[in-house]
Amino acid sequence: MIIDSDLEAYNGMLTARPGYTPIQATIRSTMKLRFLAGLATAIARANGRDKLPRFQAAIGELIALVSVAEGIRAGAVTEGLRRAEAFARGELRVEGDGLTEPKVTGVCGGAAINFFFPYVNTKAADVLRLAAGSGVLAMTAADYANPEVGPLMDKWLVGPGIDAKRRLELMKLAWDMTGSEFGSRAGLYERLYSGDPEINAQRWFRSGITNECEALVHRLRSEDQRHPRRQDRVG
């Protein structure tokens, strides 16, 4: 264990944490998003919907969001290493130079698990529901095992390039991820993983980043007032 028997390190995890929790959370959330996007793609192909512009656009957006998530994950790892190095030097705050990066350095992984991942994983589940349609409720494995029903399913439940059994498995996996007790719990877990979204937003409002962003506007206005001809060029 990383902090085995180190009481000082354990007691300081909340007050001086380098960001291990955001790293773990962004990795978990990114992989779940990849899985949901992959399942939505497989379901759309099994239902013959992958050729429709509507589903291409919906799943394409998920794939783009996967790329964004991968960037956040990489940023969280880099940021965590930077904070760990700063804490090793006895520095409890990490600050930028204000030019190449913000003076007040936030936690990108923390922001992502507050807002980005609850949104994208909820959206991915909704796209999966649309791609699957009512097929998730139609049949069960027990129906397929029934000697009178199974042969009919083999005939009528086939999809483009996929047999009935495999398509049924995909449908039930989609149901597990969206409509079952497990899927419903997972959806609620994603929405509230890092607490109340409104309270999280209030905390970010009170952060130093807010003042730094506002100061940028006032600094720009001051520059315009000192150099009024710039306004003419902009206009």
Side-chain angles (χ1 to χ4, degrees):
M1 296 178 63
I2 296 175
I3 58 173
D4 184 29
S5 302
D6 189 337
L7 293 179
E8 182 180 357
Y10 181 84
N11 291 330
M13 285 181 66
L14 293 180
T15 57
R17 55 185 180 182
Y20 299 134
T21 299
I23 292 174
Q24 177 273 332
T26 54
I27 291 174
R28 175 192 62 78
S29 297
T30 298
M31 295 311 297
K32 182 171 183 178
L33 177 60
R34 290 176 68 91
F35 178 77
L36 289 173
L39 182 56
T41 303
I43 287 288
R45 294 194 196 282
N47 288 343
R49 292 176 170 175
D50 58 308
K51 303 297 191 297
L52 300 177
R54 174 190 181 190
F55 289 98
Q56 289 181 355
I59 296 174
E61 184 177 351
L62 292 185
I63 301 305
L65 291 172
V66 167
S67 295
V68 174
E70 293 288 0
I72 293 173
R73 178 173 67 166
V77 172
T78 300
E79 191 175 75
L81 291 173
R82 182 182 177 189
R83 289 179 181 277
E85 292 169 354
F87 294 159
R89 297 191 299 268
E91 301 172 7
L92 300 184
R93 296 181 60 185
V94 178
E95 294 185 345
D97 57 16
L99 181 62
T100 61
E101 58 184 346
K103 181 72 173 176
V104 181
T105 303
V107 181
C108 69
I113 61 178
N114 282 162
F115 306 108
F116 176 77
F117 284 113
Y119 163 74
V120 296
N121 278 310
T122 299
K123 181 178 181 61
D126 287 340
V127 171
L128 176 55
R129 290 188 184 96
L130 290 175
S134 61
V136 295
L137 302 174
M139 299 291 179
T140 67
D143 294 323
Y144 188 79
N146 188 312
E148 295 183 358
V149 178
L152 296 176
M153 294 174 65
D154 281 329
K155 181 178 181 179
W156 299 110
L157 198 62
V158 295
I162 188 171
D163 61 32
K165 183 178 181 181
R166 179 57 180 158
R167 189 181 179 198
L168 177 63
E169 290 173 350
L170 284 174
M171 288 295 184
K172 291 309 160 186
L173 181 55
W175 172 250
D176 283 342
M177 296 303 298
T178 59
S180 67
E181 293 87 346
F182 172 81
S184 299
R185 180 187 181 280
L188 185 62
Y189 179 84
E190 292 298 334
R191 286 178 180 271
L192 302 176
Y193 172 78
S194 61
D196 188 316
E198 183 172 336
I199 293 177
N200 289 333
Q202 292 172 5
R203 288 171 178 164
W204 280 98
F205 176 78
R206 293 192 295 268
S207 74
I209 301 174
T210 305
N211 295 332
E212 185 175 357
C213 292
E214 184 180 11
L216 177 63
V217 176
H218 297 312
R219 187 163 66 250
L220 179 61
R221 292 183 65 251
S222 297
E223 288 292 326
D224 285 341
Q225 291 173 0
R226 285 199 296 269
H227 304 281
R229 293 185 61 184
R230 290 183 178 179
Q231 298 178 8
D232 297 335
R233 288 197 297 271
V234 173

